Amino acid sequence: MNLSFTVTQSELSDLLLNLSPIRPVFIWGAPGIGKSSLVQKFADDVGLECVSLLGSQLAPEDIIGIPQIKGETSEFMPPKMIARKEPYVLFLDELNACSQEVQKAFYSLILERRIGEYHLPKGSVVIGAGNRSQDSAIVKTMSTALINRMFHVQLVAEPQQWLNWAYENELHPWVIDYITQRPDHLFSEPPKTEEPYSTPRSWHMLSDALKEYGAGEKEVPEKILKVLAFGSVSSNHAGLFLAFVKSLSNKNLLSQIIKGDEKWPSEPENRDVLYFVAQSFRAKLLMELPPDKQKIDKNTQFLTHRAKALIKDLSHINIELAQMIVSSDDGKVLPEWFMVEIVRDLPRLIKNDK
């Protein structure tokens, strides 16, 4: 499912507070984007215990229970995990990964908050979550009857909110500083092949691994750092992260280059650093140059002036990287007014790019 509108972490928290007490909410989103942790945080915030059921591992009897004979009749006894006396948050994770039979077992639980004769304690909340079909995850078609019983939202990763969380939870400073410089690398779409890719969860895993090895406090072999990075996040992001770590001796290198206090690193042994800084420079231009030239302020006017000079300087060191800064190969385009000036002042870049 792809909804027309998406929500960030803080917007989802607000929606859960207002909607989940009256209607079950289903959260759509890619694996590792933070669905489970946000539901747990919601439960903590409202002072309720969070009970999680994993849809991909459930059988119908895990929901409706098993029959027990009482006198001349029988009744289904719901499982202990669900049949509680105090209100709680019931989190149905990977709900759209369960079979049609299990989905049917959820109908009354989601709509009426009951299983057979057992009703969830008053004040209980039911929340579902699942991955999208394009995420290359285990998903099954959700029945229309089940879809129609819930309010649906689609979660996206918002870098600044994740960074605020990362500071609060003391993630490794290398990870925090890297995502601060490259917020566009917090999340990448799941690949079609079996390989690691970047999500808020995978950056958290990399942070944990770096902490275990004491990276930053003691010297960690370069090969180990490569294993940790390439085993956690996408290969492109892992390579750039390692270049970033290598450049930490001068962590403000890009700012100093823009100011004119430093030059592009041109030594052959620093090619990876040059690539990282050039990528970061493109990301900065995409983020800070306004679409409308009339909205340029003093800061962006200076950045525009320096950008053209720096792209020209970079072209003398590495023409491919200079072309990468002004290209649209990744689907992201620099403002049209800026590209007009590039074509006028640096036509060689555009001609070679074509």
Side-chain angles (χ1 to χ4, degrees):
M1 178 180 288
N2 265 320
L3 301 176
S4 301
F5 298 95
T6 58
V7 297
T8 64
Q9 296 96 311
S10 63
E11 290 169 337
L12 176 59
S13 297
D14 185 62
L15 283 167
L16 290 177
L17 283 170
N18 286 279
L19 293 177
S20 61
I22 59 170
R23 176 69 63 179
V25 174
F26 190 92
I27 308 166
W28 296 88
I33 206 168
K35 301 184 293 294
S36 302
S37 59
L38 282 169
V39 172
Q40 181 63 61
K41 182 180 183 303
F42 162 76
D44 293 340
D45 289 345
V46 297
L48 296 177
E49 183 180 0
C50 183
V51 176
S52 297
L53 299 180
L54 203 58
S56 57
Q57 299 178 5
L58 294 175
E61 56 268 24
D62 295 325
I63 308 302
I64 61 177
I66 57 176
Q68 184 177 20
I69 297 175
K70 287 194 174 183
E72 297 181 355
T73 61
S74 66
E75 64 180 68
F76 278 88
M77 303 299 293
K80 183 178 179 181
M81 180 175 286
I82 295 177
R84 295 168 178 253
K85 295 181 179 180
E86 300 296 326
Y88 66 98
V89 174
L90 179 58
F91 179 41
L92 308 175
D93 200 4
E94 297 185 8
L95 178 55
N96 58 336
C98 60
S99 65
Q100 291 290 325
E101 290 73 21
V102 175
Q103 289 187 29
K104 291 177 184 176
F106 279 124
Y107 284 2
S108 61
L109 178 61
I110 289 174
L111 183 63
E112 301 171 341
R113 291 185 171 86
R114 70 171 178 86
I115 302 171
E117 296 180 5
Y118 170 77
H119 289 259
L120 297 185
K122 187 176 180 180
S124 295
V125 171
V126 179
I127 300 173
N131 303 316
R132 306 162 302 173
S133 58
Q134 67 264 39
D135 293 325
S136 301
I138 299 174
V139 295
K140 293 182 172 65
T141 301
M142 192 183 297
S143 71
T144 54
L146 192 56
I147 288 176
N148 198 238
R149 281 166 160 80
M150 294 178 288
F151 183 91
H152 298 265
V153 295
Q154 184 167 319
L155 178 66
V156 293
E158 204 291 312
Q160 189 54 57
Q161 292 180 21
W162 184 84
L163 283 169
N164 293 339
W165 172 87
Y167 277 113
E168 291 176 6
N169 289 271
E170 299 181 343
L171 265 62
H172 196 283
W174 290 358
V175 170
I176 291 176
D177 290 347
Y178 180 79
I179 298 300
T180 299
Q181 291 198 34
R182 295 306 308 265
D184 53 321
H185 285 185
L186 176 61
F187 175 78
S188 60
E189 289 294 334
K192 301 301 180 184
T193 54
E194 297 172 333
E195 59 185 279
Y197 64 102
S198 301
T199 66
R201 178 166 61 199
S202 62
W203 284 110
H204 191 182
M205 288 193 301
L206 177 56
S207 168
D208 288 344
L210 292 169
K211 283 187 172 183
E212 287 299 314
Y213 273 92
E217 298 175 4
K218 65 180 183 181
E219 192 72 23
V220 178
E222 183 179 357
K223 182 177 180 180
I224 294 297
L225 289 177
K226 287 182 178 179
V227 169
L228 300 182
F230 281 90
S232 302
V233 298
S234 68
S235 57
N236 179 45
H237 295 173
L240 290 170
F241 176 78
L242 293 171
F244 164 76
V245 171
K246 187 176 178 181
S247 69
L248 281 177
S249 56
N250 192 349
K251 63 186 297 184
N252 297 316
L253 182 58
L254 178 58
S255 297
Q256 292 172 335
I257 289 174
I258 293 174
K259 289 179 182 178
D261 297 335
E262 289 285 351
K263 296 183 178 180
W264 295 109
S266 57
E267 301 81 1
E269 63 270 22
N270 286 329
R271 179 175 173 80
D272 53 351
V273 177
L274 176 64
Y275 183 71
F276 168 74
V277 176
Q279 281 263 7
S280 299
F281 185 52
R282 170 174 166 77
K284 184 177 181 67
L285 295 179
L286 285 167
M287 185 169 57
E288 297 189 14
L289 293 184
D292 185 355
K293 190 176 181 180
Q294 303 301 318
K295 295 183 178 179
I296 291 180
D297 57 21
K298 270 189 176 182
N299 292 331
T300 48
Q301 187 174 22
F302 174 77
L303 178 60
T304 302
H305 172 73
R306 288 292 296 152
K308 289 183 287 185
L310 289 173
I311 293 171
K312 181 178 180 180
D313 292 344
L314 181 60
S315 67
H316 295 307
I317 301 172
N318 189 307
I319 185 68
E320 290 82 10
L321 286 182
Q323 290 172 342
M324 177 273 295
I325 289 178
V326 298
S327 75
S328 57
D329 292 344
D330 58 359
K332 300 174 182 177
V333 183
L334 290 168
E336 184 177 354
W337 61 266
F338 181 76
M339 290 304 299
V340 168
E341 296 187 16
I342 291 293
V343 171
R344 182 192 66 204
D345 299 339
L346 302 169
R348 185 169 70 99
L349 289 183
I350 307 302
K351 286 181 180 178
N352 287 347
D353 192 39
K354 294 179 180 178

